[in-house]
Amino acid sequence: MPWIKNFDEAEVLEKAMQAFWAHGYEATSMQNLVDCTGVNRGSLYATYGGKRAFFLAALQMYDHKMRRELLAGLAARNRPREAIGALFRTFMEDVAEDGSNRGCLLTNTALELSAHDPEIARIVAHAQKQTEDFFTRMIIKGQKRDEIAGHVDAEGTARGLLASLLGLVVLVRSRPDTALLQGIVADALRRLD
């Protein structure tokens, strides 16, 4: 008789994503995942094959929900310069609203796993490149609308904004001082003048 899944996979992945985001890959045990999802160990293994595959599925969910949808929404709802600023402020507001210091799961994963896991390094690098491309598109679009100075090198500035954003999300986790974070955002946005 075939095994039948008795749980909502999207809901389980969401709970696992939250656990990995809060604690990291290494510090999240299979028992933690059993506890937070409410799904027994055998069902999790039957569905995902193991902790690493479960993590990869949760990381892909994060990438889709938190990065891709966020960037698309910011670009659709804001003028280009505002979209760039809103991305930086999104991470700051998380700290201010709930005292969270989770940062960004992709960046946390880069720091924890990318150096010794080529597959994860590729996933993280791809997400970072797409974020850099978002900055480039917004700069070029902003220049066409005279919102961003025409002398700004779109690609070079986009790389600098990515570096500032990555630094910001690391500091959100390790040193969530509002004045420090606001200074980083202000400095990053001055690059557009």
Side-chain angles (χ1 to χ4, degrees):
M1 189 159 147
W3 174 74
I4 299 172
K5 208 181 306 184
N6 291 322
F7 58 87
D8 179 334
E9 192 168 349
E11 182 181 318
V12 166
L13 270 177
E14 173 72 29
K15 290 176 180 177
M17 180 187 77
Q18 295 297 331
F20 286 124
W21 193 1
H23 307 292
Y25 176 77
E26 293 296 335
T28 304
S29 68
M30 277 307 287
Q31 187 58 51
N32 296 138
L33 296 169
V34 167
D35 294 342
C36 78
T37 63
V39 176
N40 72 52
R41 187 180 303 266
S43 293
L44 291 178
Y45 276 108
T47 303
Y48 299 102
K51 178 181 159 182
R52 184 176 184 284
F54 198 11
F55 175 74
L56 287 172
L59 186 63
Q60 295 289 359
M61 174 185 249
Y62 177 91
D63 183 46
H64 180 75
K65 286 180 67 173
M66 305 304 286
R67 186 191 57 81
R68 291 182 203 169
E69 289 180 9
L70 173 63
L71 295 181
L74 290 173
R77 291 187 308 272
N78 296 284
R79 298 185 61 80
R81 186 183 187 103
E82 294 166 354
I84 292 169
L87 179 57
F88 280 89
R89 286 188 297 278
T90 296
F91 289 97
M92 286 187 49
E93 289 165 2
D94 287 346
V95 171
E97 286 178 11
D98 63 7
S100 170
N101 65 345
R102 296 184 306 170
C104 165
L105 180 58
L106 285 160
T107 302
N108 299 347
T109 300
L111 296 171
E112 181 182 8
L113 301 173
S114 286
H116 56 271
D117 189 318
E119 182 179 9
I120 288 176
R122 280 190 299 278
I123 292 167
V124 170
H126 179 72
Q128 290 172 346
K129 178 64 173 126
Q130 287 189 332
T131 302
E132 179 185 331
D133 292 345
F134 164 81
F135 286 135
T136 302
R137 285 191 310 276
M138 292 300 100
I139 292 167
I140 291 169
K141 192 174 178 181
Q143 288 173 323
K144 289 178 181 174
R145 294 181 176 189
D146 291 326
E147 294 176 22
I148 295 172
H151 66 84
V152 171
D153 171 27
E155 290 182 3
T157 301
R159 286 189 294 273
L161 290 172
L162 176 66
S164 292
L165 181 65
L166 295 175
L168 178 78
V169 297
V170 169
L171 289 168
V172 160
R173 189 166 175 101
S174 64
R175 194 172 151 203
D177 176 88
T178 303
L180 171 68
L181 302 176
Q182 287 173 337
I184 291 168
V185 173
D187 180 67
L189 296 179
R190 276 194 293 273
R191 295 176 188 175
L192 304 175
D193 295 330

